[in-house]
Amino acid sequence: MDKHRKLRLGFLGTGWIGRHRLQKLAESGLADIVAIADPSPDCLQQAAAIAPTAIQATSLDELLQLDLDGLVIATPSALHAEQCRRAFDAGLAVFCQKPLGRNAAEVASVVNAAHRADRLLGVDFPIAMSPVWTRSAVVFKPENSAVPLQGG
């Protein structure tokens, strides 16, 4: 890939979360939004208003036929692992909405697919770095189970 060319991205899933990601990326200008896909005509129409030059598709199969560098996945959770693996098999980098899988085996299969394909994998889980979450990790350790949760 030419290091001066913008990344060519596809978006799979253009419901509320997918459109939010799409909007922010479109505003940033950091990548070319080449394609959007969703089985819902209403969601696809709303996404097309954000990325009017993007190819409109209804499935992952259609996206995988295009010249993309990466795929943003914001579909129902039960589909994430299989969709990620298929994207890696097609040579794409992936940014996936949480959760990456429904269990440890699914997550491991996605991570292994990313390693085999030598492609980047990003998972959206911003709460993991929030002060509330990091404080909760201390409070909810087994040895601290008797710690009151009220401020004091």
Side-chain angles (χ1 to χ4, degrees):
M1 182 179 94
D2 178 355
K3 68 179 179 177
H4 299 291
R5 178 175 69 88
K6 286 185 182 179
L7 292 175
R8 297 173 46 84
L9 299 179
F11 279 75
L12 179 61
T14 59
W16 185 86
I17 292 172
R19 279 194 314 276
H20 178 72
R21 301 276 174 266
L22 178 67
Q23 179 74 47
K24 293 301 180 186
L25 197 56
E27 290 171 358
S28 77
L30 294 174
D32 287 331
I33 300 165
V34 174
I36 52 178
D38 199 291
S40 163
D42 184 52
C43 288
L44 200 55
Q45 181 180 20
Q46 291 178 52
I50 298 167
T53 62
I55 295 167
Q56 295 181 36
T58 59
S59 70
L60 175 59
D61 289 332
E62 290 177 67
L63 291 179
L64 295 179
Q65 299 303 311
L66 302 172
D67 181 23
L68 301 174
D69 299 310
L71 186 64
V72 177
I73 297 175
T75 57
S77 300
L79 305 174
H80 289 176
E82 179 185 351
Q83 291 169 338
C84 287
R85 288 190 305 264
R86 291 188 60 206
F88 287 126
D89 289 346
L92 302 179
V94 172
F95 179 84
C96 187
Q97 181 62 33
K98 65 171 175 53
L100 191 53
R102 295 173 291 180
N103 54 50
E106 282 189 356
V107 172
S109 73
V110 173
V111 171
N112 289 337
H115 282 292
R116 280 193 309 274
D118 194 25
R119 293 293 180 261
L120 294 175
L121 167 62
V123 180
D124 181 37
F125 193 56
I127 194 171
M129 299 311 292
S130 77
V132 171
W133 183 262
T134 54
R135 175 69 181 130
S136 297
V138 173
V139 171
F140 292 114
K141 284 184 178 180
E143 63 270 21
N144 295 336
S145 61
V147 173
L149 298 179
Q150 298 97 325

